[in-house]
Amino acid sequence: MKVAVIGGGINGIMTAWELARRGCGVDLFEKDRLMSATSRASTKMLHGGLRYLEHGHFGLVREALRERSWWLAQAPELTRPLEILLPIHSGQGRPRWQVAAGIGLYDLLATGTGFRKGRWYTGNEVRDRLPMLESHGLRGAYSYWDGQMDDYRLGLWAAGQAATAGVHIHEGSPVRQVEPESGAIALDGGRISFDRVVNVAGPWAGELIAGSAVASRYRLDLVRGSHLLLKGSIACGCILQVPRERRILFVLPYQGDILLGTTEVRQQNPDRPVPEQSEIDYLLATYNRFFADHRTAADIVDTFAGVRPIVASNDDISAASRDSVIERRQRLVNVFGGKWTTSRSLAIAVADITLQ
Ligand SMILES: Cc1cc2nc3c(=O)[nH]c(=O)nc-3n(C[C@H](O)[C@H](O)[C@H](O)COP(=O)(O)OP(=O)(O)OC[C@H]3O[C@@H](n4cnc5c(N)ncnc54)[C@H](O)[C@@H]3O)c2cc1C
């Protein structure tokens, strides 16, 4: 079967690889360069998503925890386990019992995945590990373990595996339109027909089908997330509970610097997202609220932003809580949403539906 996969982010790459593994002739079309969009602007975590437990998404967390181990086993040179501390301050953030219950459940769901379990650190132990953390009201910290990756290089590694499995990769090849009935795609050089077309264009997936006058039950809400890379180092990861918000920020050691993120700002257009000054100010102010080594713009080594494609439904509000949705329209398969960590399991599900 001849399949066109549209989108050279991690979800498109993994889908192309999976289809090639199942014997399909696969052409992957990327309008820009591989791994040039959302998939290289992540928080670099291979994680189950501790926060999803608050929303009761236990199945999703369990699946992501399994997938996290798969990535670490496949590419140990581009991934590593990372300990993350969640400090507890008196009278601030979630109550201690709730954090303990959440981390306990996270570890339980991770049973058998080969990761170390979290533990409680006393205030003095936390001060030893994170001496710059504000110690006023600090009661201690719960720790847990997750995976960290070099998202860009890990995605290119996966693309290499896909190419070895036979995927033909076409960079600089924007797909202008798709035709669900015929399986044709329109490129700048003309039309090509396939048995199946898989639209894995991430935040652009909705734009592609709208531009092709293809109806869909789903639409995407686009939410920008920005990060700062700061000079310096930190001994382990740390989660900050943003005061007066339910949001959290990650402060992570990353390739010799400190990675700080992220934000949530609605965005109309997915093209070339950049952090706004207000997001940079918000990130620095939150860091400075918790750490004594106050940071300014002079400490910023780099900034980057990505756009989350959040699945919303035109006719079913409950679908808005789903992490990803796969929709089949004749020869066309649309993929909406999906996390980096679970890109392989999503690809398996996409291949099942594509080959039906
Ligand atoms: C701020 C932020 C932090 C995140 N952190 C994490 C994290 O730590 N861990 C985690 O698991 N997940 C994380 N995620 C989620 C994860 O990064 C994304 O869900 C994932 O990268 C999406 O991959 P994708 O392949 O669907 O999209 P993309 O990476 O955006 O790829 C889509 C590709 O399609 C191409 N394209 C678009 N239109 C066309 C067209 N018409 N023709 C050809 N090509 C086209 C684009 O150029 C692009 O390369 C984060 C997301 C954000 C925004």
Side-chain angles (χ1 to χ4, degrees), residues 5-13 29-47 52 64 147 149 151 170 173-177 187 199-205 207-208 223-227 250 252 262-263 304-309 323 335-343 346:
V5 174
I6 306 169
I10 193 58
N11 284 318
I13 291 167
F29 298 95
E30 165 53 50
K31 70 181 169 72
D32 200 333
R33 304 295 305 261
L34 292 177
M35 294 296 295
S36 58
T38 326
S39 299
R40 70 176 299 176
S42 79
T43 309
K44 328 290 182 196
M45 297 300 297
L46 291 164
H47 62 168
Y52 295 139
M149 61 176 158
D151 53 5
H170 311 271
S173 301
V175 174
R176 302 297 180 190
Q177 285 195 327
L187 296 158
N199 166 18
V200 210
W204 292 267
E207 189 179 287
L208 178 62
V223 179
R224 184 175 66 245
S226 296
H227 290 87
F250 283 100
L252 304 169
T262 175
T263 56
F304 60 89
V307 178
R308 301 176 187 87
D323 178 59
V335 182
F336 301 112
K339 292 197 68 66
W340 216 114
T341 307
T342 48
S343 54
L346 179 64

Side-chain angles (χ1 to χ4, degrees), residues 102-111 116-119 143-145:
I103 288 178
L105 181 56
Y106 199 68
D107 282 344
L108 190 66
L109 290 169
T111 302
R116 289 171 65 177
K117 290 198 185 308
R119 51 162 288 202
S143 83
Y144 70 100
W145 288 79

Side-chain angles (χ1 to χ4, degrees), residues 8 41 62 78 80 83 89 178 202 239-240 300 309 339 341 344:
R62 170 90 187 120
L78 299 173
R80 63 168 181 163
E83 188 176 27
H89 289 88
V178 291
I239 285 187
L240 306 180
I300 299 175
K339 292 197 68 66
T341 307
R344 182 187 70 132

Side-chain angles (χ1 to χ4, degrees), residues 7-338:
I10 193 58
N11 284 318
I13 291 167
M14 294 304 286
T15 298
W17 182 11
E18 179 63 21
L19 287 163
R21 275 187 353 100
R22 296 196 197 186
C24 297
V26 184
D27 285 90
L28 172 65
F29 298 95
E30 165 53 50
K31 70 181 169 72
D32 200 333
R33 304 295 305 261
L34 292 177
M35 294 296 295
S36 58
T38 326
S39 299
R40 70 176 299 176
S42 79
T43 309
K44 328 290 182 196
M45 297 300 297
L46 291 164
H47 62 168
L50 188 58
R51 227 158 38 107
Y52 295 139
L53 293 180
E54 284 186 327
H55 305 289
H57 297 160
F58 305 133
L60 187 68
V61 173
R62 170 90 187 120
E63 175 190 327
L65 288 169
R66 264 200 321 264
E67 291 304 303
R68 148 189 105 160
S69 295
W70 183 82
W71 284 110
L72 266 83
Q74 294 297 311
E77 66 290 356
L78 299 173
T79 59
R80 63 168 181 163
L82 179 67
E83 188 176 27
I84 299 176
L85 265 54
L86 206 159
I88 305 289
H89 289 88
S90 301
Q92 278 181 40
R94 291 155 183 82
R96 179 175 166 177
W97 69 263
Q98 190 181 344
V99 174
I103 288 178
L105 181 56
Y106 199 68
D107 282 344
L108 190 66
L109 290 169
T111 302
T113 63
F115 267 74
R116 289 171 65 177
K117 290 198 185 308
R119 51 162 288 202
W120 170 254
Y121 285 92
T122 64
N124 282 339
E125 286 173 321
V126 177
R127 280 183 277 275
D128 279 350
R129 296 209 69 192
L130 300 173
M132 302 317 288
L133 191 69
E134 274 294 353
S135 61
H136 181 70
L138 180 69
R139 294 174 64 193
Y142 284 101
S143 83
Y144 70 100
W145 288 79
D146 247 331
Q148 189 180 46
M149 61 176 158
D150 179 331
D151 53 5
Y152 178 61
R153 290 177 59 215
L154 189 57
L156 292 185
W157 170 85
Q161 301 297 310
T164 305
V167 174
H168 295 106
I169 295 173
H170 311 271
E171 292 181 293
S173 301
V175 174
R176 302 297 180 190
Q177 285 195 327
V178 291
E179 291 173 19
E181 203 176 332
S182 64
I185 63 169
L187 296 158
D188 288 342
R191 286 168 83 251
I192 313 180
S193 287
F194 291 88
D195 299 308
R196 298 281 185 275
V197 176
V198 189
N199 166 18
V200 210
W204 292 267
E207 189 179 287
L208 178 62
I209 52 174
S212 308
V214 174
S216 172
R217 285 186 66 199
Y218 302 97
R219 62 187 163 72
L220 290 176
D221 286 334
L222 305 180
V223 179
R224 184 175 66 245
S226 296
H227 290 87
L228 307 180
L229 265 184
L230 300 175
K231 274 184 226 159
S233 63
I234 185 167
C236 60
C238 184
I239 285 187
L240 306 180
Q241 302 189 64
V242 182
R244 293 177 297 283
E245 295 179 34
R246 292 300 287 173
R247 304 198 67 250
I248 56 164
L249 287 194
F250 283 100
V251 185
L252 304 169
Y254 187 67
Q255 298 185 347
D257 292 313
I258 297 173
L259 179 63
L260 176 62
T262 175
T263 56
E264 284 173 297
V265 180
R266 278 187 182 268
Q267 164 138 356
Q268 289 304 317
N269 182 332
D271 293 340
R272 308 203 189 295
V274 286
E276 282 176 2
Q277 189 58 46
S278 58
E279 294 172 87
I280 295 173
D281 294 344
Y282 168 86
L283 291 169
L284 286 175
T286 308
Y287 181 95
N288 291 340
R289 165 81 183 66
F290 287 94
F291 284 88
D293 60 332
H294 286 185
R295 299 311 186 104
T296 67
D299 296 303
I300 299 175
V301 179
D302 196 8
T303 65
F304 60 89
V307 178
R308 301 176 187 87
I310 310 279
V311 186
S313 167
N314 290 328
D315 53 5
D316 175 7
I317 287 301
S318 67
S321 62
R322 289 187 216 171
D323 178 59
S324 62
V325 164
I326 306 165
E327 179 188 44
R328 174 88 183 255
R329 297 256 154 190
Q330 297 167 305
R331 292 176 189 271
L332 173 68
V333 177
N334 293 313
V335 182
F336 301 112

